[in-house]
Amino acid sequence: MKTSKLWDNLVRNQFAKIDGSFLSTFREPGNANNRLAAWDPYDKSMRYFKFLFFHQLQAKDRTFLSNYAKIGTTSLGNPVTLTAASGQAINLDHFFSIEEFTFLDAHLDFTEIDHVLEIGAGFGRTAQALIKLVKNLKSYTIVDLPEILALSCGYLEQVLDQDEFAKLHFVDALSLTKEQRDFPPCDLVINIDSFQEMPRQTIEYYFQRFINAARFFYSKNAIGKYKPESVGLHGVDENHLLDVFSLGLSTEVIDIFDPQELSRARARHVEEYRPRSDFTVIAQEPLGIFPYYHNVLYGRVGG
């Protein structure tokens, strides 16, 4: 029987010696079983990212896809996209933006939200979605590092029309403590996936300066830290790791693949990010695709 050159090579290099040592480790990620099984956790392609995203995308209804269509251009920057049942090209960044809008819209009366302030907006995906979908917004302030402000300003100027872009205000986070600047009263303060990367004193400053006086605070951040080896990362610099583990307010190391640990960590996280005792939790839910992130909307009693 003739065998393929592929398997001639594999037998010679990976299966030539089946002994106790081989049997004890052959199913570890990256070892010989990746030629026998349907998958291997270590993969340099995008196949698992795309399958995970594809699975989440199939669960979204027509309203979700309709709102996605309303936010306009989402292809700037050449993101990885998948095709929805509607034929739309969907990328993960703006997919998250519509999930965030859907969560907020279910628990807020957006007709009463005039002024939004976002701390750490990245390239501006959330600002784009809310400005496009909440027509009554009067202003949207972004507070960020100057280099990232250059990105969000440049991006949003291309994807918003002139009147929409005029609602934006860009504030250099590094100059905040040096200037006495008045800001419009914030109806809603947003922080998505960035408090977990800040020192505690910086977060406390933002709470004192903006969040405690706002009517609502929306947070979507990680509920804890995890060991790099739990996701297959090895050889991470310990000094870098210690720095990462100290950032944010939810700093306990947890198993992010243990439902019971996730449940306990969520309860802690909600209290750690509660602005003050006069804020109540209006709504909360884990992020579907990455359940160690948590959506929480707080509201100030009588605010």
Side-chain angles (χ1 to χ4, degrees):
M1 180 181 69
K2 184 175 177 60
T3 59
S4 66
K5 291 181 180 180
L6 169 66
W7 271 95
D8 286 344
N9 183 62
L10 288 171
V11 167
R12 183 169 55 252
N13 291 290
Q14 295 195 47
F15 298 98
K17 188 177 181 181
I18 310 299
D19 56 11
S21 176
F22 178 92
L23 290 171
S24 67
T25 61
F26 81 101
R27 295 177 68 191
E28 289 182 358
N31 281 1
N33 195 53
N34 64 11
R35 304 307 313 184
L36 306 175
W39 67 288
D40 186 342
Y42 289 146
D43 191 308
K44 295 180 180 179
S45 74
M46 290 190 289
R47 76 180 75 187
Y48 298 119
F49 164 77
K50 284 191 167 184
F51 274 121
L52 182 63
F53 183 20
F54 183 77
H55 176 73
Q56 293 289 314
L57 185 53
Q58 304 315 298
K60 298 306 181 184
D61 60 19
R62 291 182 180 178
T63 300
F64 183 95
L65 297 175
S66 174
N67 284 332
Y68 191 101
K70 292 174 184 176
I71 64 177
T73 300
T74 60
S75 60
L76 181 60
N78 195 30
V80 175
T81 63
L82 295 183
T83 304
S86 60
Q88 296 165 263
I90 309 287
N91 70 76
L92 189 62
D93 293 317
H94 290 93
F95 174 93
F96 283 152
S97 295
I98 302 304
E99 281 197 332
E100 292 150 8
F101 168 78
T102 302
F103 174 79
L104 289 171
D105 191 44
H107 305 289
L108 277 180
D109 182 354
F110 267 122
T111 64
E112 298 180 357
I113 304 297
D114 293 330
H115 304 288
V116 174
L117 184 144
E118 184 175 5
I119 301 164
F123 69 83
R125 62 172 182 78
T126 306
Q128 177 186 358
L130 292 186
I131 289 173
K132 288 287 189 180
L133 292 169
V134 184
K135 297 299 184 181
N136 60 277
L137 280 186
K138 295 179 180 177
S139 71
Y140 196 111
T141 301
I142 293 175
V143 180
D144 217 325
L145 299 174
E147 296 81 1
I148 310 304
L149 285 179
L151 170 61
S152 59
C153 181
Y155 173 85
L156 289 167
E157 193 169 22
Q158 290 200 40
V159 300
L160 299 177
D161 65 32
Q162 197 169 29
D163 290 340
E164 292 167 337
F165 186 77
K167 297 179 180 182
L168 286 159
H169 305 277
F170 298 90
V171 177
D172 180 353
L174 299 182
S175 68
L176 272 175
T177 57
K178 301 175 185 176
E179 61 181 24
Q180 297 299 316
R181 179 172 175 177
D182 292 328
F183 293 89
C186 293
D187 296 305
L188 172 64
V189 176
I190 294 173
N191 181 261
I192 296 170
D193 197 17
S194 64
F195 272 173
Q196 67 203 25
E197 299 172 349
M198 298 182 193
R200 178 175 291 269
Q201 60 267 33
T202 301
I203 300 171
E204 290 174 349
Y205 171 82
Y206 283 129
F207 272 76
Q208 293 166 10
R209 182 75 187 268
F210 300 116
I211 298 170
N212 289 340
R215 294 175 58 203
F216 301 98
F217 170 49
Y218 169 53
S219 167
K220 188 176 86 172
N221 282 282
I223 60 177
K225 308 295 184 179
Y226 59 87
K227 294 180 179 179
E229 54 266 30
S230 71
V231 293
L233 294 173
H234 300 281
V236 178
D237 181 83
E238 187 172 342
N239 291 325
H240 175 70
L241 198 59
L242 290 173
D243 177 59
V244 170
F245 279 10
S246 71
L247 301 177
L249 302 182
S250 296
T251 57
E252 186 163 337
V253 177
I254 62 172
D255 181 353
I256 60 173
F257 304 105
D258 182 327
Q260 292 184 347
E261 283 202 32
L262 288 172
S263 180
R264 290 191 292 267
R266 288 183 190 116
R268 289 192 302 268
H269 175 80
V270 168
E271 292 307 313
E272 287 160 346
Y273 278 85
R274 186 190 298 270
R276 294 188 314 200
S277 59
D278 60 343
F279 277 78
T280 186
V281 177
I282 295 174
Q284 59 173 306
E285 66 181 27
L287 181 61
I289 196 169
F290 300 123
Y292 70 98
Y293 277 79
H294 205 52
N295 296 280
V296 193
L297 177 64
Y298 303 89
R300 187 155 52 92
V301 177

